[in-house]
Amino acid sequence: MLDYHLPDYHIHTWHCGHAAGQMEEYLAAARQKGITEIGFADHIPMYWLLPEQRDPSLAMQEKELAFYLAEINRLQAKNQDLTLKVGLEVDFIPGREKELAHFLGKYTFDYLIGSVHYLNGWGFDQATQQAAYAGKDPVAVYHQYFGLLKEAALSGFFDIIAHPDLIKKFNYRLAEEPIPLYLETAKAFAQAGVCVEINTAGLRVPAGEIYPSLSFLKVCRQHGVPATVGSDAHQPDQVGYEFKEAVQHLRRAGYHEVALYSKRYQYSHNTGI
Ligand code: ZN
Ligand code: FE
Ligand code: FE
Ligand code: ZN
């Protein structure tokens, strides 16, 4: 069992078309690892495309969303020893705010996680779209990525910003860490009142490092940005993935608390770290 208490707020389900296992199996995995609070945050339907253009292997279908929400509530009633939260991982697509507001307005969530997975339609974190890195100016790509991340934070839609240096996923890095971009971004997070997400999935990809990097997380801490933690589990055994590392990361950056959410209200939780 754990000597610290961390909730896992970033868990996917089979509804998105690229995650494995039943929801019950994610609960069982959490229980086994001594994690008492988990939040599902599956990919929102690709609201910026027409329904027939949406790729069912990238996100939930619209008709699945209500079922997904009902399923979490049904499981919460049956599993009183765990606290289950209802979240979504939401792509931020500038210019599509109206469609997004319409979508989100239909349901109630505990929290919404905003993600930048697309730069002008380029799905830069998809293995199949990696070729597009070639020939691009890395400095320009980083500016574009962090610019969108700030915009996502300031959009007012989200409580948490996911994997906030995802652009490093395939080890696409600058000669030096872009501290000025971290500073601007952390300021935007603080101004917007969003949390930074510590996402251990970075340890499972070529980057080999938690999102965000320790220097970015330290800048967030200095600006008073609260943090949440997520494994980005796409299969049950990834629940709480490398949370020992997440604890070290929190500790090194000076965090002793993580944020929790209920119906979009934030409260803080002493982690015992
Ligand atoms: Zn996914
Ligand atoms: Fe993501
Ligand atoms: Fe995710
Ligand atoms: Zn993710």
Side-chain angles (χ1 to χ4, degrees):
M1 285 294 127
L2 308 175
D3 56 352
Y4 50 84
H5 302 281
L6 286 184
D8 188 342
Y9 264 18
H10 193 143
I11 295 177
H12 290 274
T13 77
W14 59 270
H15 290 285
C16 68
H18 60 269
Q22 294 300 312
M23 278 175 161
E24 281 91 343
E25 297 177 72
Y26 288 83
L27 269 55
R31 198 175 273 126
Q32 199 201 339
K33 293 186 178 173
I35 295 172
T36 56
E37 176 160 341
I38 62 171
F40 288 99
D42 214 354
H43 300 282
I44 190 179
M46 302 172 85
Y47 61 90
W48 64 97
L49 299 173
L50 296 170
E52 59 273 20
Q53 296 172 325
R54 298 174 188 167
D55 183 343
S57 75
L58 291 180
M60 270 190 274
Q61 297 296 291
E62 196 164 344
K63 58 178 185 285
E64 283 174 298
L65 185 55
F67 184 62
Y68 160 83
L69 300 171
E71 188 77 351
I72 300 172
N73 288 324
R74 184 183 69 82
L75 286 171
Q76 177 64 91
K78 278 182 25 184
N79 294 274
Q80 299 284 337
D81 62 320
L82 299 174
T83 302
L84 304 189
K85 293 289 167 72
V86 180
L88 271 186
E89 179 173 14
V90 182
D91 290 294
F92 177 68
I93 309 289
R96 299 298 188 163
E97 290 83 354
K98 246 175 112 173
E99 290 92 329
L100 180 57
H102 177 73
F103 228 118
L104 298 177
K106 298 184 195 173
Y107 307 97
T108 308
F109 302 96
D110 288 313
Y111 57 84
L112 294 171
I113 305 184
S115 288
V116 172
H117 297 120
Y118 295 93
L119 299 177
N120 271 332
W122 171 36
F124 66 86
D125 79 322
Q126 295 170 36
T128 52
Q129 298 199 31
Q130 266 190 84
Y133 280 99
K136 286 201 162 66
D137 170 15
V139 174
V141 170
Y142 264 72
H143 273 84
Q144 196 188 0
Y145 172 77
F146 282 98
L148 263 186
L149 213 59
K150 281 194 296 185
E151 230 186 288
L154 294 168
S155 73
F157 282 109
F158 312 120
D159 305 299
I160 301 163
I161 301 297
H163 39 58
D165 56 358
L166 181 64
I167 193 69
K168 75 184 175 191
K169 176 172 177 177
F170 298 114
N171 244 336
Y172 184 79
R173 294 179 188 269
L174 303 182
E176 271 176 49
E177 275 202 80
I179 304 292
L181 289 180
Y182 296 166
L183 266 166
E184 284 173 26
T185 309
K187 279 183 192 161
F189 286 3
Q191 188 190 332
V194 298
C195 292
V196 57
E197 181 195 62
I198 294 161
N199 183 314
T200 56
L203 295 166
R204 303 195 292 267
V205 299
E209 181 189 278
I210 289 178
Y211 307 112
S213 71
L214 185 59
S215 0
F216 189 2
L217 190 61
K218 282 181 175 168
V219 174
C220 289
R221 177 78 188 110
Q222 284 154 12
H223 286 80
V225 177
T228 63
V229 182
S231 65
D232 220 331
H234 282 72
Q235 54 191 63
D237 65 359
Q238 289 172 345
V239 172
Y241 180 82
E242 295 286 7
F243 270 19
K244 280 211 160 111
E245 285 296 314
V247 168
Q248 292 305 322
H249 217 54
L250 282 162
R251 200 175 267 153
R252 288 182 187 128
Y255 281 93
H256 304 283
E257 292 181 337
V258 290
L260 300 180
Y261 283 89
S262 185
K263 306 266 188 281
R264 313 288 311 272
Y265 285 98
Q266 188 199 100
Y267 47 109
S268 84
H269 170 71
N270 196 306
T271 52
I273 292 169

